[in-house]
Amino acid sequence: MSTVVVDELIGRPENDYLIAVAQGTLMNVPGTVIQAVWNETDVIATYATNADNVSRAISILDTAITPKFSTSEIWMDIFLFYESSNDVTFQILRNGSITSTAGYIGYNTQVGNVQYSGITSAKYDQDRSSTPDYLHIKFVDKPGSTATWTYGIGARYASNTNDSIRVNKSWNNYGVDYEKGVSMMVLREIAR
């Protein structure tokens, strides 16, 4: 492996100042996207959101990424089309567990990892039977290795009631009058 240290690189004018890099070459330029993976799903599913302090994965959104560098951050965007009670909290999951790396915690650390703690909650909806919501969640993690990591979102009920969440559909049946949608997770490896 060779190391080149220069103050500035400029391509030739006849190549529009572009610098070609051989396919398969990895460059670690802090702040740039190294790779992106995504998972888009229109699967209609129901998941439990029980009041037992267990964050249950909304598994249809689970998405794996293998970082090229152990120093990278994983930036995620989660787009969730859902309907549930307003008493649901959401947590970020890494390999099925709530993320807990210092500085990258998937719940509110002031109250701890309890059923009413998350990175966000479901929106309040007085009519839970129809017209789902669309939630956009942004999160950053730093896994610290080049192992394959599976990211997801978990849900649990904040009060003392067991309930569920419907993903990609309204609460009520599959009829024409009830909306269906699409959810997505996008993961980007960012060089640091």
mmCIF file of all heavy atoms in Angstrom, residues 28-78:
data_model
loop_
_atom_site.group_PDB
_atom_site.id
_atom_site.type_symbol
_atom_site.label_atom_id
_atom_site.label_comp_id
_atom_site.label_asym_id
_atom_site.label_seq_id
_atom_site.Cartn_x
_atom_site.Cartn_y
_atom_site.Cartn_z
ATOM 1 N N ASN A 28 -10.971 7.285 1.605
ATOM 2 C CA ASN A 28 -11.600 7.740 2.840
ATOM 3 C C ASN A 28 -11.440 9.247 2.932
ATOM 4 O O ASN A 28 -10.426 9.749 3.382
ATOM 5 C CB ASN A 28 -10.970 7.039 4.046
ATOM 6 C CG ASN A 28 -11.721 7.325 5.331
ATOM 7 O OD1 ASN A 28 -12.375 8.348 5.465
ATOM 8 N ND2 ASN A 28 -11.635 6.409 6.268
ATOM 9 N N VAL A 29 -12.471 9.957 2.477
ATOM 10 C CA VAL A 29 -12.484 11.411 2.520
ATOM 11 C C VAL A 29 -13.528 11.814 3.555
ATOM 12 O O VAL A 29 -14.731 11.629 3.323
ATOM 13 C CB VAL A 29 -12.827 12.003 1.131
ATOM 14 C CG1 VAL A 29 -12.835 13.525 1.193
ATOM 15 C CG2 VAL A 29 -11.857 11.486 0.078
ATOM 16 N N PRO A 30 -13.098 12.308 4.727
ATOM 17 C CA PRO A 30 -14.046 12.610 5.802
ATOM 18 C C PRO A 30 -15.238 13.443 5.332
ATOM 19 O O PRO A 30 -15.088 14.416 4.605
ATOM 20 C CB PRO A 30 -13.191 13.382 6.812
ATOM 21 C CG PRO A 30 -11.816 12.835 6.595
ATOM 22 C CD PRO A 30 -11.727 12.621 5.100
ATOM 23 N N GLY A 31 -16.431 12.990 5.732
ATOM 24 C CA GLY A 31 -17.668 13.677 5.398
ATOM 25 C C GLY A 31 -18.329 13.215 4.120
ATOM 26 O O GLY A 31 -19.435 13.650 3.806
ATOM 27 N N THR A 32 -17.685 12.328 3.369
ATOM 28 C CA THR A 32 -18.278 11.863 2.113
ATOM 29 C C THR A 32 -18.992 10.528 2.301
ATOM 30 O O THR A 32 -18.699 9.771 3.219
ATOM 31 C CB THR A 32 -17.211 11.709 1.015
ATOM 32 O OG1 THR A 32 -16.264 10.724 1.421
ATOM 33 C CG2 THR A 32 -16.508 13.027 0.734
ATOM 34 N N VAL A 33 -19.912 10.258 1.399
ATOM 35 C CA VAL A 33 -20.629 8.990 1.414
ATOM 36 C C VAL A 33 -19.746 7.924 0.768
ATOM 37 O O VAL A 33 -19.279 8.086 -0.357
ATOM 38 C CB VAL A 33 -21.966 9.098 0.646
ATOM 39 C CG1 VAL A 33 -22.667 7.746 0.580
ATOM 40 C CG2 VAL A 33 -22.876 10.132 1.287
ATOM 41 N N ILE A 34 -19.517 6.846 1.489
ATOM 42 C CA ILE A 34 -18.724 5.736 0.973
ATOM 43 C C ILE A 34 -19.629 4.739 0.248
ATOM 44 O O ILE A 34 -19.278 4.227 -0.804
ATOM 45 C CB ILE A 34 -17.947 5.049 2.115
ATOM 46 C CG1 ILE A 34 -16.958 6.034 2.710
ATOM 47 C CG2 ILE A 34 -17.249 3.788 1.618
ATOM 48 C CD1 ILE A 34 -16.333 5.571 4.003
ATOM 49 N N GLN A 35 -20.794 4.469 0.829
ATOM 50 C CA GLN A 35 -21.760 3.572 0.203
ATOM 51 C C GLN A 35 -23.139 3.864 0.765
ATOM 52 O O GLN A 35 -23.277 4.476 1.823
ATOM 53 C CB GLN A 35 -21.394 2.104 0.455
ATOM 54 C CG GLN A 35 -21.457 1.703 1.911
ATOM 55 C CD GLN A 35 -21.259 0.227 2.130
ATOM 56 O OE1 GLN A 35 -21.862 -0.601 1.451
ATOM 57 N NE2 GLN A 35 -20.417 -0.126 3.103
ATOM 58 N N ALA A 36 -24.148 3.424 0.045
ATOM 59 C CA ALA A 36 -25.528 3.559 0.500
ATOM 60 C C ALA A 36 -26.266 2.265 0.182
ATOM 61 O O ALA A 36 -26.062 1.666 -0.869
ATOM 62 C CB ALA A 36 -26.215 4.735 -0.178
ATOM 63 N N VAL A 37 -27.101 1.829 1.108
ATOM 64 C CA VAL A 37 -27.985 0.686 0.896
ATOM 65 C C VAL A 37 -29.378 1.091 1.352
ATOM 66 O O VAL A 37 -29.535 1.981 2.189
ATOM 67 C CB VAL A 37 -27.517 -0.585 1.653
ATOM 68 C CG1 VAL A 37 -26.176 -1.063 1.143
ATOM 69 C CG2 VAL A 37 -27.442 -0.339 3.151
ATOM 70 N N TRP A 38 -30.384 0.450 0.803
ATOM 71 C CA TRP A 38 -31.748 0.782 1.207
ATOM 72 C C TRP A 38 -32.645 -0.425 1.091
ATOM 73 O O TRP A 38 -32.334 -1.395 0.431
ATOM 74 C CB TRP A 38 -32.304 1.948 0.396
ATOM 75 C CG TRP A 38 -32.463 1.655 -1.064
ATOM 76 C CD1 TRP A 38 -33.564 1.157 -1.694
ATOM 77 C CD2 TRP A 38 -31.470 1.817 -2.077
ATOM 78 N NE1 TRP A 38 -33.325 1.001 -3.030
ATOM 79 C CE2 TRP A 38 -32.027 1.397 -3.295
ATOM 80 C CE3 TRP A 38 -30.159 2.277 -2.064
ATOM 81 C CZ2 TRP A 38 -31.336 1.426 -4.483
ATOM 82 C CZ3 TRP A 38 -29.466 2.302 -3.262
ATOM 83 C CH2 TRP A 38 -30.053 1.884 -4.439
ATOM 84 N N ASN A 39 -33.763 -0.301 1.761
ATOM 85 C CA ASN A 39 -34.782 -1.341 1.785
ATOM 86 C C ASN A 39 -36.126 -0.638 1.699
ATOM 87 O O ASN A 39 -36.489 0.119 2.594
ATOM 88 C CB ASN A 39 -34.663 -2.138 3.094
ATOM 89 C CG ASN A 39 -35.805 -3.112 3.300
ATOM 90 O OD1 ASN A 39 -36.589 -3.396 2.404
ATOM 91 N ND2 ASN A 39 -35.905 -3.620 4.510
ATOM 92 N N GLU A 40 -36.818 -0.846 0.613
ATOM 93 C CA GLU A 40 -38.157 -0.287 0.435
ATOM 94 C C GLU A 40 -39.142 -1.440 0.467
ATOM 95 O O GLU A 40 -38.920 -2.464 -0.177
ATOM 96 C CB GLU A 40 -38.250 0.457 -0.887
ATOM 97 C CG GLU A 40 -39.615 1.054 -1.129
ATOM 98 C CD GLU A 40 -39.699 1.774 -2.460
ATOM 99 O OE1 GLU A 40 -39.167 1.254 -3.457
ATOM 100 O OE2 GLU A 40 -40.314 2.832 -2.491
ATOM 101 N N THR A 41 -40.215 -1.287 1.229
ATOM 102 C CA THR A 41 -41.181 -2.375 1.348
ATOM 103 C C THR A 41 -42.610 -1.851 1.325
ATOM 104 O O THR A 41 -42.907 -0.819 1.933
ATOM 105 C CB THR A 41 -40.939 -3.205 2.619
ATOM 106 O OG1 THR A 41 -41.922 -4.254 2.682
ATOM 107 C CG2 THR A 41 -41.030 -2.363 3.878
ATOM 108 N N ASP A 42 -43.456 -2.586 0.623
ATOM 109 C CA ASP A 42 -44.890 -2.302 0.671
ATOM 110 C C ASP A 42 -45.645 -3.461 1.333
ATOM 111 O O ASP A 42 -46.864 -3.549 1.241
ATOM 112 C CB ASP A 42 -45.446 -2.000 -0.721
ATOM 113 C CG ASP A 42 -45.259 -3.147 -1.703
ATOM 114 O OD1 ASP A 42 -44.718 -4.200 -1.312
ATOM 115 O OD2 ASP A 42 -45.650 -2.975 -2.870
ATOM 116 N N VAL A 43 -44.904 -4.324 2.007
ATOM 117 C CA VAL A 43 -45.510 -5.431 2.755
ATOM 118 C C VAL A 43 -46.401 -4.857 3.842
ATOM 119 O O VAL A 43 -46.009 -3.932 4.567
ATOM 120 C CB VAL A 43 -44.418 -6.341 3.363
ATOM 121 C CG1 VAL A 43 -45.019 -7.352 4.326
ATOM 122 C CG2 VAL A 43 -43.632 -7.036 2.264
ATOM 123 N N ILE A 44 -47.583 -5.395 3.970
ATOM 124 C CA ILE A 44 -48.516 -4.970 5.018
ATOM 125 C C ILE A 44 -48.341 -5.908 6.202
ATOM 126 O O ILE A 44 -48.414 -7.128 6.052
ATOM 127 C CB ILE A 44 -49.958 -4.976 4.492
ATOM 128 C CG1 ILE A 44 -50.089 -3.886 3.406
ATOM 129 C CG2 ILE A 44 -50.955 -4.779 5.608
ATOM 130 C CD1 ILE A 44 -51.390 -3.908 2.651
ATOM 131 N N ALA A 45 -48.059 -5.335 7.376
ATOM 132 C CA ALA A 45 -47.742 -6.165 8.544
ATOM 133 C C ALA A 45 -48.266 -5.521 9.822
ATOM 134 O O ALA A 45 -48.476 -4.313 9.889
ATOM 135 C CB ALA A 45 -46.240 -6.362 8.638
ATOM 136 N N THR A 46 -48.443 -6.368 10.832
ATOM 137 C CA THR A 46 -48.844 -5.924 12.166
ATOM 138 C C THR A 46 -47.804 -6.419 13.156
ATOM 139 O O THR A 46 -47.381 -7.575 13.093
ATOM 140 C CB THR A 46 -50.235 -6.475 12.534
ATOM 141 O OG1 THR A 46 -51.186 -6.001 11.579
ATOM 142 C CG2 THR A 46 -50.650 -6.040 13.923
ATOM 143 N N TYR A 47 -47.385 -5.541 14.068
ATOM 144 C CA TYR A 47 -46.385 -5.887 15.086
ATOM 145 C C TYR A 47 -46.907 -5.519 16.460
ATOM 146 O O TYR A 47 -47.561 -4.485 16.632
ATOM 147 C CB TYR A 47 -45.072 -5.134 14.830
ATOM 148 C CG TYR A 47 -44.407 -5.541 13.544
ATOM 149 C CD1 TYR A 47 -44.626 -4.817 12.377
ATOM 150 C CD2 TYR A 47 -43.580 -6.649 13.486
ATOM 151 C CE1 TYR A 47 -44.026 -5.193 11.185
ATOM 152 C CE2 TYR A 47 -42.971 -7.030 12.302
ATOM 153 C CZ TYR A 47 -43.200 -6.300 11.155
ATOM 154 O OH TYR A 47 -42.608 -6.667 9.982
ATOM 155 N N ALA A 48 -46.584 -6.345 17.446
ATOM 156 C CA ALA A 48 -46.973 -6.079 18.829
ATOM 157 C C ALA A 48 -46.180 -4.890 19.367
ATOM 158 O O ALA A 48 -45.008 -4.714 19.052
ATOM 159 C CB ALA A 48 -46.714 -7.307 19.699
ATOM 160 N N THR A 49 -46.843 -4.083 20.179
ATOM 161 C CA THR A 49 -46.193 -2.993 20.912
ATOM 162 C C THR A 49 -46.594 -3.129 22.377
ATOM 163 O O THR A 49 -47.335 -2.308 22.905
ATOM 164 C CB THR A 49 -46.594 -1.609 20.369
ATOM 165 O OG1 THR A 49 -48.022 -1.497 20.402
ATOM 166 C CG2 THR A 49 -46.107 -1.396 18.954
ATOM 167 N N ASN A 50 -46.124 -4.176 23.003
ATOM 168 C CA ASN A 50 -46.540 -4.467 24.371
ATOM 169 C C ASN A 50 -45.860 -3.562 25.389
ATOM 170 O O ASN A 50 -44.803 -2.997 25.142
ATOM 171 C CB ASN A 50 -46.242 -5.935 24.700
ATOM 172 C CG ASN A 50 -47.079 -6.869 23.845
ATOM 173 O OD1 ASN A 50 -48.063 -6.455 23.232
ATOM 174 N ND2 ASN A 50 -46.687 -8.118 23.794
ATOM 175 N N ALA A 51 -46.462 -3.474 26.565
ATOM 176 C CA ALA A 51 -45.963 -2.631 27.650
ATOM 177 C C ALA A 51 -45.060 -3.440 28.573
ATOM 178 O O ALA A 51 -45.234 -3.451 29.783
ATOM 179 C CB ALA A 51 -47.137 -2.051 28.426
ATOM 180 N N ASP A 52 -44.080 -4.115 27.997
ATOM 181 C CA ASP A 52 -43.209 -4.964 28.814
ATOM 182 C C ASP A 52 -41.734 -4.577 28.686
ATOM 183 O O ASP A 52 -40.851 -5.352 28.983
ATOM 184 C CB ASP A 52 -43.395 -6.428 28.429
ATOM 185 C CG ASP A 52 -43.123 -6.683 26.954
ATOM 186 O OD1 ASP A 52 -42.709 -5.748 26.237
ATOM 187 O OD2 ASP A 52 -43.330 -7.822 26.513
ATOM 188 N N ASN A 53 -41.467 -3.366 28.215
ATOM 189 C CA ASN A 53 -40.114 -2.838 28.082
ATOM 190 C C ASN A 53 -39.281 -3.576 27.037
ATOM 191 O O ASN A 53 -38.056 -3.516 27.054
ATOM 192 C CB ASN A 53 -39.385 -2.815 29.428
ATOM 193 C CG ASN A 53 -38.259 -1.807 29.433
ATOM 194 O OD1 ASN A 53 -38.362 -0.753 28.819
ATOM 195 N ND2 ASN A 53 -37.171 -2.131 30.104
ATOM 196 N N VAL A 54 -39.934 -4.305 26.112
ATOM 197 C CA VAL A 54 -39.222 -4.990 25.037
ATOM 198 C C VAL A 54 -39.496 -4.235 23.740
ATOM 199 O O VAL A 54 -40.645 -4.074 23.341
ATOM 200 C CB VAL A 54 -39.685 -6.462 24.895
ATOM 201 C CG1 VAL A 54 -39.036 -7.112 23.692
ATOM 202 C CG2 VAL A 54 -39.389 -7.222 26.172
ATOM 203 N N SER A 55 -38.441 -3.764 23.096
ATOM 204 C CA SER A 55 -38.579 -3.087 21.816
ATOM 205 C C SER A 55 -38.638 -4.155 20.726
ATOM 206 O O SER A 55 -37.648 -4.825 20.450
ATOM 207 C CB SER A 55 -37.399 -2.148 21.590
ATOM 208 O OG SER A 55 -37.576 -1.441 20.389
ATOM 209 N N ARG A 56 -39.816 -4.325 20.125
ATOM 210 C CA ARG A 56 -39.996 -5.351 19.104
ATOM 211 C C ARG A 56 -39.702 -4.778 17.726
ATOM 212 O O ARG A 56 -40.229 -3.735 17.351
ATOM 213 C CB ARG A 56 -41.412 -5.898 19.173
ATOM 214 C CG ARG A 56 -41.619 -6.755 20.405
ATOM 215 C CD ARG A 56 -43.062 -7.169 20.603
ATOM 216 N NE ARG A 56 -43.155 -8.100 21.710
ATOM 217 C CZ ARG A 56 -43.150 -7.734 22.984
ATOM 218 N NH1 ARG A 56 -43.039 -6.462 23.315
ATOM 219 N NH2 ARG A 56 -43.234 -8.642 23.939
ATOM 220 N N ALA A 57 -38.869 -5.483 16.982
ATOM 221 C CA ALA A 57 -38.443 -5.015 15.664
ATOM 222 C C ALA A 57 -39.599 -4.982 14.676
ATOM 223 O O ALA A 57 -40.399 -5.919 14.620
ATOM 224 C CB ALA A 57 -37.343 -5.912 15.125
ATOM 225 N N ILE A 58 -39.662 -3.906 13.922
ATOM 226 C CA ILE A 58 -40.531 -3.840 12.759
ATOM 227 C C ILE A 58 -39.673 -4.419 11.635
ATOM 228 O O ILE A 58 -39.024 -3.712 10.870
ATOM 229 C CB ILE A 58 -40.983 -2.395 12.498
ATOM 230 C CG1 ILE A 58 -41.780 -1.889 13.715
ATOM 231 C CG2 ILE A 58 -41.813 -2.297 11.223
ATOM 232 C CD1 ILE A 58 -42.146 -0.428 13.665
ATOM 233 N N SER A 59 -39.634 -5.739 11.589
ATOM 234 C CA SER A 59 -38.601 -6.480 10.855
ATOM 235 C C SER A 59 -38.619 -6.298 9.345
ATOM 236 O O SER A 59 -37.602 -6.525 8.692
ATOM 237 C CB SER A 59 -38.671 -7.965 11.203
ATOM 238 O OG SER A 59 -39.932 -8.485 10.875
ATOM 239 N N ILE A 60 -39.732 -5.872 8.767
ATOM 240 C CA ILE A 60 -39.743 -5.680 7.315
ATOM 241 C C ILE A 60 -38.826 -4.534 6.896
ATOM 242 O O ILE A 60 -38.493 -4.415 5.715
ATOM 243 C CB ILE A 60 -41.167 -5.473 6.752
ATOM 244 C CG1 ILE A 60 -41.842 -4.264 7.384
ATOM 245 C CG2 ILE A 60 -41.989 -6.729 6.887
ATOM 246 C CD1 ILE A 60 -43.180 -3.903 6.767
ATOM 247 N N LEU A 61 -38.382 -3.714 7.856
ATOM 248 C CA LEU A 61 -37.463 -2.622 7.534
ATOM 249 C C LEU A 61 -36.010 -2.946 7.858
ATOM 250 O O LEU A 61 -35.120 -2.136 7.583
ATOM 251 C CB LEU A 61 -37.876 -1.346 8.271
ATOM 252 C CG LEU A 61 -39.044 -0.601 7.646
ATOM 253 C CD1 LEU A 61 -39.447 0.581 8.501
ATOM 254 C CD2 LEU A 61 -38.709 -0.154 6.240
ATOM 255 N N ASP A 62 -35.727 -4.108 8.440
ATOM 256 C CA ASP A 62 -34.341 -4.463 8.769
ATOM 257 C C ASP A 62 -33.470 -4.376 7.515
ATOM 258 O O ASP A 62 -33.818 -4.928 6.462
ATOM 259 C CB ASP A 62 -34.256 -5.866 9.353
ATOM 260 C CG ASP A 62 -34.795 -5.943 10.774
ATOM 261 O OD1 ASP A 62 -35.135 -4.882 11.345
ATOM 262 O OD2 ASP A 62 -34.870 -7.054 11.311
ATOM 263 N N THR A 63 -32.327 -3.688 7.644
ATOM 264 C CA THR A 63 -31.432 -3.452 6.509
ATOM 265 C C THR A 63 -29.992 -3.631 6.962
ATOM 266 O O THR A 63 -29.594 -3.079 7.985
ATOM 267 C CB THR A 63 -31.643 -2.023 5.955
ATOM 268 O OG1 THR A 63 -33.035 -1.845 5.673
ATOM 269 C CG2 THR A 63 -30.843 -1.792 4.694
ATOM 270 N N ALA A 64 -29.223 -4.403 6.201
ATOM 271 C CA ALA A 64 -27.831 -4.708 6.572
ATOM 272 C C ALA A 64 -26.851 -3.860 5.772
ATOM 273 O O ALA A 64 -27.095 -3.532 4.612
ATOM 274 C CB ALA A 64 -27.539 -6.189 6.346
ATOM 275 N N ILE A 65 -25.723 -3.538 6.434
ATOM 276 C CA ILE A 65 -24.637 -2.813 5.790
ATOM 277 C C ILE A 65 -23.315 -3.313 6.370
ATOM 278 O O ILE A 65 -23.245 -3.628 7.565
ATOM 279 C CB ILE A 65 -24.784 -1.277 5.976
ATOM 280 C CG1 ILE A 65 -23.768 -0.514 5.107
ATOM 281 C CG2 ILE A 65 -24.691 -0.888 7.439
ATOM 282 C CD1 ILE A 65 -24.038 0.983 5.026
ATOM 283 N N THR A 66 -22.308 -3.406 5.526
ATOM 284 C CA THR A 66 -20.963 -3.790 5.951
ATOM 285 C C THR A 66 -20.051 -2.602 5.701
ATOM 286 O O THR A 66 -19.682 -2.335 4.540
ATOM 287 C CB THR A 66 -20.466 -5.024 5.173
ATOM 288 O OG1 THR A 66 -21.413 -6.076 5.320
ATOM 289 C CG2 THR A 66 -19.113 -5.479 5.693
ATOM 290 N N PRO A 67 -19.700 -1.848 6.744
ATOM 291 C CA PRO A 67 -18.850 -0.664 6.544
ATOM 292 C C PRO A 67 -17.498 -1.032 5.938
ATOM 293 O O PRO A 67 -16.935 -2.089 6.226
ATOM 294 C CB PRO A 67 -18.677 -0.103 7.958
ATOM 295 C CG PRO A 67 -19.809 -0.676 8.750
ATOM 296 C CD PRO A 67 -20.091 -2.018 8.146
ATOM 297 N N LYS A 68 -16.985 -0.153 5.100
ATOM 298 C CA LYS A 68 -15.659 -0.326 4.499
ATOM 299 C C LYS A 68 -14.551 0.073 5.471
ATOM 300 O O LYS A 68 -13.433 -0.406 5.372
ATOM 301 C CB LYS A 68 -15.531 0.517 3.223
ATOM 302 C CG LYS A 68 -16.613 0.266 2.194
ATOM 303 C CD LYS A 68 -16.501 -1.097 1.573
ATOM 304 C CE LYS A 68 -17.545 -1.232 0.456
ATOM 305 N NZ LYS A 68 -17.732 -2.591 0.038
ATOM 306 N N PHE A 69 -14.874 0.984 6.406
ATOM 307 C CA PHE A 69 -13.892 1.478 7.376
ATOM 308 C C PHE A 69 -14.479 1.399 8.787
ATOM 309 O O PHE A 69 -15.646 1.722 8.993
ATOM 310 C CB PHE A 69 -13.505 2.932 7.071
ATOM 311 C CG PHE A 69 -12.903 3.120 5.707
ATOM 312 C CD1 PHE A 69 -13.672 3.587 4.652
ATOM 313 C CD2 PHE A 69 -11.567 2.816 5.481
ATOM 314 C CE1 PHE A 69 -13.126 3.752 3.392
ATOM 315 C CE2 PHE A 69 -11.003 2.984 4.216
ATOM 316 C CZ PHE A 69 -11.789 3.452 3.168
ATOM 317 N N SER A 70 -13.676 1.005 9.751
ATOM 318 C CA SER A 70 -14.151 0.884 11.134
ATOM 319 C C SER A 70 -14.412 2.248 11.779
ATOM 320 O O SER A 70 -15.101 2.333 12.792
ATOM 321 C CB SER A 70 -13.139 0.102 11.982
ATOM 322 O OG SER A 70 -11.912 0.796 12.041
ATOM 323 N N THR A 71 -13.896 3.309 11.198
ATOM 324 C CA THR A 71 -14.079 4.654 11.755
ATOM 325 C C THR A 71 -15.328 5.357 11.220
ATOM 326 O O THR A 71 -15.638 6.470 11.645
ATOM 327 C CB THR A 71 -12.850 5.516 11.429
ATOM 328 O OG1 THR A 71 -12.646 5.494 10.001
ATOM 329 C CG2 THR A 71 -11.610 4.992 12.133
ATOM 330 N N SER A 72 -16.035 4.732 10.301
ATOM 331 C CA SER A 72 -17.192 5.362 9.657
ATOM 332 C C SER A 72 -18.377 5.500 10.596
ATOM 333 O O SER A 72 -18.525 4.763 11.570
ATOM 334 C CB SER A 72 -17.641 4.535 8.444
ATOM 335 O OG SER A 72 -16.651 4.502 7.457
ATOM 336 N N GLU A 73 -19.253 6.446 10.262
ATOM 337 C CA GLU A 73 -20.568 6.555 10.886
ATOM 338 C C GLU A 73 -21.592 5.990 9.903
ATOM 339 O O GLU A 73 -21.391 6.034 8.693
ATOM 340 C CB GLU A 73 -20.917 8.016 11.178
ATOM 341 C CG GLU A 73 -20.085 8.641 12.261
ATOM 342 C CD GLU A 73 -20.393 10.109 12.465
ATOM 343 O OE1 GLU A 73 -20.921 10.771 11.540
ATOM 344 O OE2 GLU A 73 -20.075 10.601 13.552
ATOM 345 N N ILE A 74 -22.677 5.480 10.446
ATOM 346 C CA ILE A 74 -23.803 5.021 9.628
ATOM 347 C C ILE A 74 -24.944 6.010 9.851
ATOM 348 O O ILE A 74 -25.446 6.133 10.969
ATOM 349 C CB ILE A 74 -24.243 3.586 9.997
ATOM 350 C CG1 ILE A 74 -23.068 2.612 9.914
ATOM 351 C CG2 ILE A 74 -25.404 3.153 9.110
ATOM 352 C CD1 ILE A 74 -22.421 2.500 8.546
ATOM 353 N N TRP A 75 -25.292 6.713 8.803
ATOM 354 C CA TRP A 75 -26.408 7.664 8.861
ATOM 355 C C TRP A 75 -27.629 6.972 8.289
ATOM 356 O O TRP A 75 -27.573 6.350 7.234
ATOM 357 C CB TRP A 75 -26.100 8.913 8.050
ATOM 358 C CG TRP A 75 -25.065 9.802 8.675
ATOM 359 C CD1 TRP A 75 -24.048 9.434 9.516
ATOM 360 C CD2 TRP A 75 -24.938 11.204 8.503
ATOM 361 N NE1 TRP A 75 -23.304 10.522 9.862
ATOM 362 C CE2 TRP A 75 -23.827 11.623 9.258
ATOM 363 C CE3 TRP A 75 -25.651 12.143 7.770
ATOM 364 C CZ2 TRP A 75 -23.418 12.945 9.313
ATOM 365 C CZ3 TRP A 75 -25.244 13.461 7.820
ATOM 366 C CH2 TRP A 75 -24.152 13.852 8.586
ATOM 367 N N MET A 76 -28.733 7.062 9.013
ATOM 368 C CA MET A 76 -29.940 6.383 8.553
ATOM 369 C C MET A 76 -31.128 7.327 8.467
ATOM 370 O O MET A 76 -31.246 8.274 9.247
ATOM 371 C CB MET A 76 -30.250 5.178 9.426
ATOM 372 C CG MET A 76 -30.429 5.457 10.891
ATOM 373 S SD MET A 76 -30.403 3.953 11.901
ATOM 374 C CE MET A 76 -28.652 3.734 12.079
ATOM 375 N N ASP A 77 -31.943 7.041 7.485
ATOM 376 C CA ASP A 77 -33.241 7.693 7.320
ATOM 377 C C ASP A 77 -34.271 6.587 7.290
ATOM 378 O O ASP A 77 -34.162 5.656 6.490
ATOM 379 C CB ASP A 77 -33.309 8.471 6.002
ATOM 380 C CG ASP A 77 -32.563 9.778 6.061
ATOM 381 O OD1 ASP A 77 -33.058 10.696 6.723
ATOM 382 O OD2 ASP A 77 -31.486 9.868 5.439
ATOM 383 N N ILE A 78 -35.262 6.695 8.171
ATOM 384 C CA ILE A 78 -36.336 5.712 8.236
ATOM 385 C C ILE A 78 -37.625 6.443 7.894
ATOM 386 O O ILE A 78 -37.938 7.482 8.480
ATOM 387 C CB ILE A 78 -36.439 5.082 9.640
ATOM 388 C CG1 ILE A 78 -35.110 4.429 10.010
ATOM 389 C CG2 ILE A 78 -37.594 4.088 9.704
ATOM 390 C CD1 ILE A 78 -34.980 4.108 11.476
#
